[in-house]
Each structure stands twice: as structure tokens, then as C-alpha cells.
Amino acid sequence: MTIGRILVVTPTYDERDNLPRFVRALFEALPEADLLVVDDDSPDGTGVVADALAAEDTRIRVLHRHGKRGLGSAYAEAFERAMALGYDVVIQMDSDLSHDPRHLPAFCRAIDEGADVVLGSRAVPGGGVVGWGLGRRLLSSGGSWYARRVLGLGVRDLTTGFKALTRRALDVLLTPRLRCNGYAFQIETTYRALRAGLPVIEIPITFVDRRVGQSKLDRWVFAEAVVAPWLLRAGLLG
């Protein structure tokens, strides 16, 4: 690969049991990457586990934050740190192994071929979901359909959290600052990249529902995802 320095970012909240397995799988798939764990004061001691992993491997860094501050703010803070440290590519991933690290070489190839944003898509041919019931499938696909219609976009999977962004994309996204903090953050970043004219592509992934722990989806996150596309369309979110 010729894409430069890669930083994988994974926000964590109560992922103590998942994190070591995620780290092993990540470095098996992409040993040249570094990892930044952004932990929001996990009550289960995830931060302690992350520190122990970092002590054993210089590729791992840990950012400890006070309180449960949200997915979007975790990524935004990580993006700023990645820019300051000179990384060329940032890859967003969940630490619960729902995002399979074996897809990472395909992400890197897409960046190498000219994409500025690569979306791991569950909604293009070859992509899919394992382990979700009908309700969760309808919620996810319906959310993407709703945001696409409001914003007039052709991207199939607007709510995916498995994505890669180049330094150029990060520069666009951080000026002005990102505003959304739940799953709407994923809609916001993709929309702003497309509006700036950056090459955005979707590659198929298989999303596997978490086996350990609980989903962080709540009513506030859902409500933000309903309102945010209209605010983005009106130009009220940057």
C-alpha cells in the first residue's frame, strides 16, 4: 500500500471483554496500522484493559475522557489528534467485532485508488447483516432511506460506522466543526464529504451483530437521526 500512515479509531464504552479480541483481529488484518482507543470512562474498566494493551504494544494509544460524551464527539476528538500526529488515513471501527477487520485491506485499496471516503456498506451487492431481527433491519435500512430522501443522496448506507477517511477528508470535516453526536454523526460526515466534492465510494461488508455486551442505541440517538438530515439540508449544521 502507498497510502501512508493509518490510524484506526475505536470509541469504547463498556467493551472490556471485546477489546482484546478486537485488537488481535485488527493487527492480524492490518499490522502496519496504529490504534487509538477513545474510552468514555467505562464503568466496566475498559480503560484499564486498553492501558494494559497499550503497555504491551507501541502501536496502541488510549485517550481517556471523563463521562459518557458520545460517539460523534469521540470521533471528532480523534480526528483532530490524527491530524496533529500526521496520519494520512483514519479508519472508524466498532470494537465489538461487528466490523470485521478482514475487510480492511479492501478499504486501503480503495483509498489507494483515489477515494477520500470509503464506506463499509451493508446495502450494496455483496454486503449484508448477520444476527439482526426484522425490527433492527427495518430501523437501519429505513434510517438510511429516510436520510437519502431528505438529503437527495445516492449513497446506499448512510448510517454505517465502518469507514475510512483521508487527511483531505478530515480537513474538510473539521472546518467547521462536526455537530452531530449519535448515529447521525455518520450521516453528517458522509453528507459533508459529498457536498465538498470528495470521492466517496461504498464497498460491501458483512456486519455481524455483537455477541458480547449491549447496543448503545437509545431514544435520544434515534431522535437526533430524525432531525439531523433536515438541519443539514437547511445548512444549519455547518
Side-chain angles (χ1 to χ4, degrees):
M1 299 293 176
T2 60
I3 64 176
R5 299 176 65 213
I6 303 167
L7 180 67
V8 174
V9 177
T10 186
T12 56
Y13 187 81
D14 284 354
E15 300 290 355
R16 177 189 180 97
D17 295 330
N18 288 316
L19 188 60
R21 297 165 58 235
F22 168 76
V23 168
R24 287 194 298 271
L26 168 65
F27 289 136
E28 286 175 5
L30 201 65
E32 67 270 30
D34 291 334
L35 171 65
L36 176 62
V37 179
V38 185
D39 186 66
D40 273 9
D41 222 1
S42 295
D44 75 343
T46 301
V48 175
V49 173
D51 284 337
L53 292 167
E56 297 174 354
D57 193 326
T58 58
R59 294 171 294 181
I60 303 173
R61 294 183 174 90
V62 185
L63 173 58
H64 294 279
R65 307 197 313 162
H66 295 296
K68 190 177 180 181
R69 293 166 54 188
L71 181 77
S73 69
Y75 275 129
E77 195 167 342
F79 291 170
E80 292 173 353
R81 180 164 293 202
M83 293 287 280
L85 293 173
Y87 284 96
D88 301 291
V89 176
V90 169
I91 299 175
Q92 301 177 196
M93 294 185 72
D94 292 346
S95 60
D96 60 9
L97 293 176
S98 58
H99 297 155
D100 191 337
R102 289 177 294 183
H103 292 299
L104 289 172
F107 277 72
C108 293
R109 283 193 297 271
I111 294 289
D112 202 26
E113 292 168 1
D116 276 307
V117 180
V118 181
L119 307 178
S121 179
R122 301 158 290 188
V124 296
V129 174
V130 174
W132 276 1
L134 179 61
R136 186 68 188 274
R137 287 176 182 269
L138 290 174
L139 180 63
S140 178
S141 61
S144 279
W145 177 87
Y146 170 80
R148 288 201 314 271
R149 292 297 297 269
V150 172
L151 296 171
L153 302 179
V155 169
R156 302 297 302 174
D157 195 345
L158 275 175
T159 59
T160 180
F162 194 1
K163 58 178 63 172
L165 308 105
T166 64
R167 188 175 181 86
R168 181 166 67 160
L170 294 180
D171 189 51
V172 166
L173 296 178
L174 291 173
T175 311
R177 69 183 179 88
L178 292 158
R179 303 286 294 278
C180 296
N181 200 29
Y183 288 103
F185 173 85
Q186 310 299 356
I187 301 170
E188 180 186 8
T189 54
T190 300
Y191 173 72
R192 284 176 54 174
L194 287 165
R195 190 180 62 178
L198 297 179
V200 177
I201 71 163
E202 294 182 88
I203 62 173
I205 64 162
T206 299
F207 179 98
V208 180
D209 195 23
R210 64 163 56 239
R211 296 179 181 177
V212 179
Q214 297 180 339
S215 171
K216 310 303 190 294
L217 186 64
D218 58 29
R219 291 180 180 178
W220 181 90
V221 168
F222 178 77
E224 184 193 42
V226 171
V227 173
W230 293 101
L231 298 178
L232 288 167
R233 178 174 169 173
L236 299 178
L237 291 180

